[in-house]
Amino acid sequence: MESPGRQVDMNCNKSKFRMPDIIAKKRDGEELSTQEIEWFVEKMPSVDDSQIGAFLMAMYLKGLSRDETAALTKAMQNSGDVLHWPPEWKGLVVDKHSTGGIGDKISLPLAPALAACGMKVPMISGRGLGFTGGTLDKLESIPGYRVDVAEKDMLPILEQVGCCIVGQTSNLVPADKKLYATRDVTATVASLPLITASIISKKAAENVNSLILDTKFGKGTFMKTIEEGRQLAKSLVTVSNALGIKTTALLTDMNSPIGCTAGNALEVAEAIQCLQGSGPDDLRELVCQLGGHLLFISGKADSPADGIATIQTTLQDGTACAKFQAMLVAQGVLSSIAERLCQSKLDQVDDVWKVLERAAYTTELQAEQCGYVQSIDALALGKVILELGAGRSVAGADIDYSVGFRLLVKVGSQLKIGQSWISMYHNTSPLSEDHILRLQCGLVIGLDKVTPPPRVHEVITAD
């Protein structure tokens, strides 16, 4: 029996296809059939790397239609395992995906908040990519946390806790691993259809009912302009809904860091602040907006506003934090450590370092002029902590979980000359003059009062 939604030509004989013909067809701007795309994905393990590279470049230059992108996404989804859930969970299995940014710790409080609302969240996350931090890396800063959880072990965690945050299993969308590696070395990473297929195929393989997308734009992410972010969001929403996943995207600002911290252990601490009903306003806003819209499209809230209020309640009454603590234990953290971490008074900075790794040195930088903070360059700050060890500057490098920064001001804050604006946590001392210069250049101060821009700019739904 054919999978639902698959276009089938009963007269089509896939054995007649040849890779050079498919490459030439796309090179000349023609539309590929579903069967040609399926054949390519099925045969990819035996296709020559040069042909895969040529095909990717043809797709990059000529693009893919909505139908072609959906067909590629579906074929990639079916290239490996597809997760299966109990029938009684129908409508409850949900997830979130972010296109990445500096200080993007949203998944850590969002998954348990959704679980506290009765949802099932099998969140399969990634590691840091370039200057953007990875959810798995953040969680691995917690002693004992295990990200390598097999499908059979995810089920009891979801039954008991309601959420898990794990790494991609070896046979989940294997086609994406091959295509992504080839895109990286053929300068085709930025293709909108290929980005869409890569993201949505993995979420479709999770077999989720509903999906919320945090599609970012600005200096601290890969889509620099709002229009680039909008185009990606529309592509993701269109294809995901075409595959039967109820999907909405929030177009969010990533010019300045989210919250006050970046760096793995520091972000865990700030995420727990959020779970305790405190922490930076913009972090709570994003968690509640994303969760609220997801509850609405899942049919668990009468409106986005009702959904937002429900998520806020889980943060305020401690139920979300209790789910996070239970998830930590279910994924390998000792009960005593999970309790100490989640019950710490994180407004008292020293409490968190009883559990998490602490950097040897802290350096505060001071404002060099007075005025109002006009902007804080997320990319400039992110690149510095990457070089200090908070991320992988080369593939396979170790991460220093204790490295990062804490902002002491936000856009719109008033500063005096000599007032501290950032605390840097590092294990090499002193900070280099180059790093200090780049950090100072990332802070723009002017005489005009400014209002911080909203984090959420648009809500993008299916047409």
Side-chain angles (χ1 to χ4, degrees):
M1 180 179 295
E2 294 294 334
S3 298
R6 178 178 292 180
Q7 302 173 25
V8 180
D9 181 354
M10 300 304 295
N11 299 314
C12 177
N13 180 6
K14 289 185 180 180
S15 64
K16 70 182 181 181
F17 295 140
R18 297 175 61 250
M19 198 64 213
D21 297 333
I22 292 176
I23 294 170
K25 187 174 180 179
K26 180 46 62 179
R27 178 201 64 196
D28 296 339
E30 298 180 47
E31 183 155 345
L32 299 171
S33 69
T34 296
Q35 292 73 38
E36 286 170 317
I37 291 171
E38 289 176 342
W39 179 88
F40 164 68
V41 173
E42 290 170 5
K43 298 296 183 182
M44 194 189 308
S46 60
V47 174
D48 188 80
D49 285 352
S50 63
Q51 291 178 313
I52 296 175
F55 188 40
L56 287 171
M57 185 58 71
M59 289 190 284
Y60 179 85
L61 294 173
K62 298 298 183 179
L64 296 176
S65 69
R66 184 183 70 173
D67 289 344
E68 286 177 303
T69 306
L72 177 60
T73 305
K74 186 72 172 179
M76 289 169 61
Q77 171 199 348
N78 291 329
S79 67
D81 296 335
V82 175
L83 304 183
H84 297 283
W85 311 114
E88 58 268 26
W89 291 3
K90 185 177 181 180
L92 298 177
V93 184
V94 301
D95 200 3
K96 161 259 183 189
H97 178 80
S98 168
T99 55
I102 310 299
D104 184 3
K105 57 196 72 76
I106 304 298
S107 293
L108 277 64
L110 179 59
L114 289 165
C117 297
M119 310 307 286
K120 303 297 183 183
V121 192
M123 191 173 284
I124 297 178
S125 297
R127 298 193 178 278
L129 182 63
F131 57 83
T132 64
T135 298
L136 299 183
D137 299 321
K138 301 183 208 306
L139 287 167
E140 285 184 330
S141 71
I142 302 172
Y145 192 90
R146 195 165 49 87
V147 302
D148 53 336
V149 178
E151 177 186 355
K152 65 179 180 64
D153 298 319
M154 290 173 65
L155 188 61
I157 296 174
L158 291 172
E159 286 177 335
Q160 297 164 20
V161 180
C163 63
C164 60
I165 304 179
V166 303
Q168 186 174 345
T169 60
S170 59
N171 201 40
L172 193 80
V173 196
D176 182 60
K177 295 183 178 72
K178 177 65 175 177
L179 284 181
Y180 194 92
T182 310
R183 286 166 59 202
D184 194 38
V185 297
T186 56
T188 55
V189 169
S191 164
L192 205 62
L194 294 175
I195 293 171
T196 299
S198 176
I199 291 172
I200 301 301
S201 63
K202 292 193 282 286
K203 296 305 173 183
E206 291 178 15
N207 203 10
V208 297
N209 306 123
S210 304
L211 176 65
I212 192 73
L213 298 166
D214 184 359
T215 310
K216 299 186 180 299
F217 70 91
K219 293 180 180 179
T221 190
F222 296 105
M223 298 297 175
K224 301 302 180 186
T225 68
I226 191 168
E227 184 53 35
E228 288 175 334
R230 185 181 293 116
Q231 288 178 3
L232 176 57
K234 288 181 176 179
S235 177
L236 292 167
V237 167
T238 297
V239 170
S240 189
N241 278 283
L243 295 183
I245 305 170
K246 297 176 183 178
T247 304
T248 289
L250 301 190
L251 189 59
T252 64
D253 187 295
M254 191 59 253
N255 284 297
S256 62
I258 297 172
C260 297
T261 64
N264 298 285
L266 289 158
E267 290 187 55
V268 168
E270 191 165 81
I272 295 173
Q273 280 186 314
C274 181
L275 284 162
Q276 294 176 344
S278 61
D281 292 341
D282 61 335
L283 173 58
R284 286 201 316 279
E285 175 197 359
L286 278 174
V287 171
C288 291
Q289 289 262 9
L290 289 162
H293 280 276
L294 186 51
L295 290 178
F296 172 61
I297 62 175
S298 301
K300 304 305 176 184
D302 293 334
S303 67
D306 287 340
I308 290 168
T310 301
I311 296 292
Q312 286 175 331
T313 298
T314 71
L315 300 178
Q316 293 295 333
D317 66 13
T319 55
C321 194
K323 288 291 185 181
F324 184 73
Q325 183 175 330
M327 184 186 75
L328 296 185
V329 174
Q331 292 190 229
V333 179
L334 291 176
S335 297
S336 58
I337 291 178
E339 181 178 0
R340 183 185 299 176
L341 184 62
C342 293
Q343 302 305 318
S344 292
K345 300 298 183 183
L346 294 178
D347 54 341
Q348 300 173 13
V349 176
D350 284 344
D351 278 2
V352 71
W353 307 119
K354 295 175 182 176
V355 175
L356 303 177
E357 185 178 348
R358 184 172 192 170
Y361 304 101
T362 303
T363 300
E364 291 190 356
L365 301 186
Q366 287 77 42
E368 297 176 329
Q369 65 185 85
C370 62
Y372 296 90
V373 178
Q374 309 291 304
S375 65
I376 300 171
D377 189 333
L379 179 59
L381 273 57
K383 285 185 173 179
V384 169
I385 62 170
L386 171 68
E387 293 167 13
L388 290 172
R392 296 177 181 84
S393 53
V394 295
D398 291 334
I399 284 181
D400 188 336
Y401 297 121
S402 65
V403 166
F405 65 76
R406 182 186 302 276
L407 289 172
L408 308 177
V409 298
K410 300 288 279 184
V411 173
S413 298
Q414 186 174 14
L415 276 172
K416 299 177 181 179
I417 293 176
Q419 181 179 341
S420 295
W421 68 274
I422 190 172
S423 294
M424 297 297 300
Y425 298 86
H426 52 104
N427 286 310
T428 55
S429 186
L431 289 177
S432 71
E433 292 184 6
D434 175 66
H435 283 153
I436 292 173
L437 176 62
R438 287 156 57 195
L439 290 167
Q440 294 286 27
C441 288
L443 177 71
V444 177
I445 300 174
L447 297 179
D448 296 328
K449 290 184 178 180
V450 296
T451 301
R455 282 293 181 184
V456 179
H457 280 253
E458 293 178 29
V459 179
I460 296 174
T461 58
D463 296 330

